[in-house]
Structure formats: structure tokens, C-alpha cells
Amino acid sequence: MVQRFPRSKLAPDGFSVDSISLSGSRVQIRLRSDKQAGRCPDCGRLSERVQSHYVRRPADLPLGGRSVELTVLARRFWCDAVLCSRRIFCERFGDEVLARHGRRTGRLETIVHHLGLALGGRPASAFAARLMMPVSNDTLLRAVRRRSVEHHEELSVIGIDDFAFRRGQRYGTIVCDLERRRPVTLLPDREQGTSRAWLAGHPSVSIVARDRGGGYGEAIAKALPYAEQVADRWHLMENSSRAFLDAVAKSMRQIRKAVGSAIIDPKLLTYAERLQYEGFLRRQETNETILALAKHGVSIKKIVKRTGYSRKLVRSVLRGQRSDVFRVRQSSLEGWLPWLDSRWEQGSRNASALWREMRSKGFHGQSGVVSEWARRRRLAEKANQNALARTPSARSIARLMTLARDDLTKSDAILVAAIESNVPELISARTLINAFQQMIRSKAVAKLDAWLETAKASLVAPFASGVEKDITAVRNAIVSPWSNGQTEGQITKLKLIKRQMYGHAKIDLLQARMIGAT
């Protein structure tokens, strides 16, 4: 028996089909309501007295590769209630079927909303046109804003962090529900007062995960004094690694002496490197002047007045944060230097031949780079000095000192051994950072107090002071199962949405797309 497709399936719920006609690539469907009466929107009374008819033409989903044109015959009714102020009312079909003044059916509106959530404005508009549902980018964004929802569940465990509207210029705040794993709200800035006001409106919060920057800690303490604060473990690990990098940067002068490259012969420098070296000498003179004044008890304010340098520069010099080291320019030969040294010692002194041999092994640089290296090598041998010994950057040294010895090349192992024998303070700093990170991994919170006492007298003392100021949140980070990692993941998602919208989305649209998509 052949089963025919029922015509009623072509219409939204609550409608019956009067007629169907095909016209090229279009399907024209005429509909009317199944209901015999209409309900007055003011008094709620049913009425069957029809005053007049009118036609609505909403857009609908395509059918069989053809666009659909709906013609809905709607009615106006008389309201017979004596006390009702409305005498005539229009027939309503419900927002899920066809909203009042709606230009699209409910099922098409749902598709439009989800396209706007997933793709934004312009990309969603182009994709909708391919799906035979043409809609403008502004309409898509209006649908996202109009159908946005807010979650009103009681919050217990939240994560809070900042995100950038424009990096380095303007920031906002995101709050996430860590139990339900979804964002709760976006705040227009990261000011302490804004965060404090929002937190004060949610007294049910008992645990707050946050990073260690900004004023979130103070805002939480003032708004929710009994809430438990948890520092983010990833940031603790990253800050500890950064502390060791800062310790290496402060020790670069001793490291340079240890590797035998403290003396620079300007005759062996290129013109560009000579300019850099002159700037390095000027900066060294500045540092020495500031340190000499400070040694004689001159305050920072007076040093600024006497020298004319900025307060920021003076403070960074006195804190040891302006450790300037001159290094000759890095080049594409960095990874090939051990091989070049070995070939040079074997008697291969022709730069062009060395370059051709390197090209066959995968080198992509120009021959002039090898020629310059060979010229310098000859000058250095003639002068019987190693005046251009390269000192790696502080970041490279920190990486080498934290790698296992088995993972180092012979030259790197020699470099690390020279640094360790001449700068023992770095060994102590590395040991302390390793102990702190192991403490977090193993949740050994009992060792924290002893670690702080030892770290205060080392090169990582600034990091230890920061941990001591935030000691309660750090202790909770070690033992608590909660972390701000979920919030960081939501920020990554927020960045994707911002890039999709070319960075021009306002906070209400960002919030609608972030929260509406969860």
C-alpha cells in the first residue's frame, strides 16, 4: 500500500494547509489556523466572533531544495468582555510557532539563532544563504541578543579572571560556574569595585578560584569574607618558572664572566653590532651612576631629580631588573656552530666550500653568513683571543639549566657546568623552584613554611614574598580539587568568538554568544 506524505506535516503545529503550488524554485503554501476561537491578550476571554481577515507571509525552512513561501490567513476577533478595554484583537499563534510581528516561523527562528551563536554575523549570513534561508548579518545578531538567557541557579564554586577587549588597553572580567562548567556572566571591566559589587550580590558563593594578579583577591575578601580563595595552580607553576628566569637575568654579568665573554673587542664587531655595543656601554654607565648614588644613601626621588631619568628606570635598576648584557647578533648559524667548529679544526677553511657542504645537509642561509663567520674566526685566531664568545640569552640559559643532563649536548653541558661552578646562587634558586613545583604536584602543603624561610634568602626572594602575601590562597591551591583552569578554557573560547567578530563585539553580544551557546 502506497503511503502518502500528509499535507499537515508541511505546516507548523496549529495550522492546516489550504493549498500547495509549485512555481519554479519556490513552493507556495497557504495556511490557516486550526482553532475556532481566539483568546484576548488583555482579559484572556475566548471569542469566536471574527471581525476581519488579514494575510501574513513569514519565512520558513526550505523544502526539497526549494524556498518556501507561506501565506497565513489570520483573523481579527471581537472581544465581548464588558470590562475589557480592547474591542478588537488579532489572532496569536504562540512564539514557538509564529511570534507576534514575527517575520519567520518559530522553527526557522531557532535555526537562525543557532547559526548566529555558532558563527556570528557575516559568516552565518553567508552560510544561511547557501542553506536557502537568506538572512542579514544584523538580523542574526539581533536574534542572538533577543533570545539570550541568563542562568539564575545558586552558585557555590566559581572562577574569576580577566580577559582583554584590547590587549594592554581595556579589559573585562569573566565569571564561571566551576560545578556546572559554564560561564555565568561578563563584567565590563576588571576594576575592584565592579567585581566586589557582583560578588556581594551572590552570598551563596563559598569557593572562588582566581589567578594571583589584579585586585580580585581584595574584592573577594571584602565582598565574601568567609569565602575560600584558591590560587590557580597553573599560574603558580608559571610564576615560579618566571622567577627562575628573573634570577638568571639578574646573574647575567657573572654568567658572562663564567663563560669567558666579558671582554668585547670592537674591532671584531660589524657596524650594526658596534652601534649596539655603544648603546650597551651607555646603559652600563647609567646603571653604575644610579647604583653609586643609591650606595651613598640618595633616595629614589632625589636620584630622579639629579639624573633626569624616569622613576620607573631608577626603580628597575635598584631592583636588579635592568641587567643589560651585550650579545653579538644571533644568526641562522646558531645550530650549525658546533659542526662548523669541528670542520674548522679539521682544516676546512674555505667559506664557500663549507657553505656548499652545509647546503647539501639542509642549511637554508646565504653564503655571506658563512663568509662573515670565517672572517671573524680568522681575526680572533690572529688576535689570539676569544673576544666574541657568545653568551646565550637568559631564557636559553634557564632552559638549559632545567633540562636533564642526558638531554644536553656536550657543548651545552660544558656551558651549564661552568655556570654552576661560578654562580652557585643559581643552583640554589633552581633547587628551590624545583622543590616548589614538586610541592604543588604532590600536594605536600606541610613543606610550604620551611620552603618560604629558605627562599627569602635566595635569588627567588621576590617570588617567595608574593607567595607569602597570598599564603592562604596558595595553600588552598595545593590541597583543593578546584582550579581556575576551566575559566582559562572559557577565555580561550571567548577569544575565538571575538576573532570571529573581528574584535568589534560589544559585551552584551559576547555574553549572549558565550552563555547562550552553553
Side-chain angles (χ1 to χ4, degrees), residues 220-432:
I220 296 166
K222 293 177 180 178
L224 302 171
Y226 300 106
E228 182 179 305
Q229 299 187 37
V230 181
D232 185 44
R233 284 187 290 275
W234 184 88
H235 280 95
L236 285 173
M237 300 289 281
E238 194 273 339
N239 292 342
S240 62
S241 299
R242 180 70 191 184
F244 181 66
L245 176 60
D246 292 341
V248 174
K250 293 177 184 178
S251 307
M252 284 303 293
R253 185 170 296 180
Q254 298 95 305
I255 292 173
R256 190 171 181 82
K257 293 179 180 178
V259 300
S261 57
I263 302 174
I264 299 293
D265 187 354
K267 296 179 181 179
L268 302 182
L269 299 177
T270 64
Y271 178 75
E273 290 173 345
R274 196 175 299 119
L275 293 178
Q276 295 176 5
Y277 183 60
E278 291 171 359
F280 162 73
L281 294 178
R282 289 193 298 270
R283 292 190 294 273
Q284 288 293 94
E285 183 180 357
T286 298
N287 294 353
E288 292 172 0
T289 302
I290 294 173
L291 291 172
L293 290 173
K295 188 176 181 180
H296 288 85
V298 182
S299 65
I300 293 178
K301 187 175 182 179
K302 291 183 179 179
I303 293 176
V304 171
K305 287 184 177 180
R306 289 187 188 182
T307 61
Y309 299 130
S310 68
R311 182 179 180 87
K312 179 180 179 181
L313 186 146
V314 174
R315 288 171 66 90
S316 63
V317 171
L318 296 181
R319 290 177 177 178
Q321 297 174 348
R322 196 172 184 255
S323 55
D324 201 1
V325 174
F326 175 75
R327 292 184 291 116
V328 293
R329 289 185 301 169
Q330 305 292 308
S331 71
S332 56
L333 286 179
E334 292 302 315
W336 293 86
L337 291 178
W339 183 86
L340 281 171
D341 289 336
S342 63
R343 295 290 291 138
W344 189 271
E345 296 297 332
Q346 293 172 8
S348 299
R349 305 298 177 91
N350 188 295
S352 298
L354 288 172
W355 175 73
R356 286 192 294 270
E357 190 174 349
M358 292 168 64
R359 290 281 289 183
S360 65
K361 294 180 178 294
F363 179 67
H364 299 290
Q366 300 298 319
S367 60
V369 180
V370 182
S371 299
E372 176 65 20
W373 174 85
R375 184 186 70 83
R376 289 188 179 195
R377 186 66 182 259
R378 292 189 183 95
L379 287 174
E381 288 181 350
K382 185 177 180 180
N384 193 24
Q385 59 181 336
N386 191 23
L388 281 179
R390 293 178 180 271
T391 303
S393 65
R395 187 175 297 275
S396 298
I397 293 174
R399 180 182 62 83
L400 293 175
M401 291 190 68
T402 52
L403 285 176
R405 286 299 178 92
D406 294 340
D407 297 331
L408 296 175
T409 62
K410 183 177 180 181
S411 58
D412 290 340
I414 294 173
L415 173 66
V416 171
I419 295 172
E420 291 178 347
S421 60
N422 290 276
V423 193
E425 296 85 358
L426 280 180
I427 302 178
S428 175
R430 181 183 61 187
T431 303
L432 287 167

Side-chain angles (χ1 to χ4, degrees), residues 133-174:
M133 297 181 294
V135 60
S136 70
N137 53 350
D138 291 332
T139 300
L140 283 156
L141 299 184
R142 280 197 298 270
V144 171
R145 283 188 168 103
R146 183 172 60 250
R147 295 168 67 98
S148 64
V149 294
E150 294 186 5
H151 302 294
H152 299 287
E153 296 91 346
E154 191 174 79
L155 301 174
S156 178
V157 184
I158 65 170
I160 187 169
D161 204 351
D162 59 4
F163 67 92
F165 286 106
R166 296 188 67 185
R167 186 182 294 274
Q169 298 185 31
R170 192 163 67 93
Y171 288 83
T173 297
I174 183 172

